[in-house]
Amino acid sequence: MNWTRISSIIIVGFTAIGAIYGGLSFVFMPSGDLLSLSTGLLEGSPFVDYLIPGIFLFLFVGLFHLAALIYLLKKLPRTKEVMFAAALVLAVWMIVQLFIIGYVFILQIIFLVIAFIEMFLAIQIKKQK
């Protein structure tokens, strides 16, 4: 197993776990209390609580990254494309979040950087084939 694939598995797996946990936390407690977030952060956004963002985070970021992880682990065809698409969804998620609520936590920037790292790794995997 090469370092590109190992790094991809670690980063995509970490992102999947984080997005699934965060999304489900918002779904089960839309007030944000489970993650120590105030709904005040959502002022000026179209949301009154974290339920809808939680559903989107879980479904589109979390499950998409879980699918990419499965593709990576099983070495399925189109792994690079699925991984790149999952990274693109994460990047869009973070950029939209930054536009809607602004910069609040360093994690926003970290996950945006992770999205670009995932894209880079997906391109590297494609080059290795």
Side-chain angles (χ1 to χ4, degrees):
M1 196 180 310
N2 64 39
W3 286 107
T4 302
R5 192 161 174 278
I6 292 169
S7 301
S8 297
I9 290 168
I10 291 168
I11 291 172
V12 170
F14 169 78
T15 305
I17 291 167
I20 290 169
Y21 175 77
L24 288 177
S25 295
F26 288 145
V27 168
F28 291 124
M29 195 170 285
S31 65
D33 290 344
L34 200 57
L35 296 177
S36 300
L37 294 175
S38 163
T39 53
L41 293 174
L42 297 172
E43 285 181 25
S45 81
F47 308 109
V48 294
D49 62 23
Y50 292 101
L51 178 62
I52 301 301
I55 292 169
F56 276 87
L57 180 60
F58 173 76
L59 289 176
F60 295 108
V61 180
L63 293 185
F64 208 160
H65 272 79
L66 182 60
L69 179 62
I70 292 167
Y71 270 72
L72 276 163
L73 292 171
K74 293 187 174 232
K75 298 182 182 179
L76 296 173
R78 300 239 181 257
T79 296
K80 291 85 47 190
E81 291 84 355
V82 172
M83 184 177 159
F84 192 90
L88 188 60
V89 168
L90 176 60
V92 169
W93 172 263
M94 296 314 305
I95 291 167
V96 168
Q97 187 183 110
L98 286 166
F99 276 113
I100 290 176
I101 67 169
Y103 174 78
V104 180
F105 302 108
I106 189 67
L107 281 177
Q108 292 169 299
I109 304 304
I110 290 171
F111 276 104
L112 186 56
V113 169
I114 286 172
F116 290 117
I117 291 170
E118 288 177 354
M119 288 180 209
F120 173 78
L121 289 170
I123 291 167
Q124 295 307 305
I125 289 172
K126 188 165 183 88
K127 284 181 181 178
Q128 293 174 357
K129 295 290 178 184

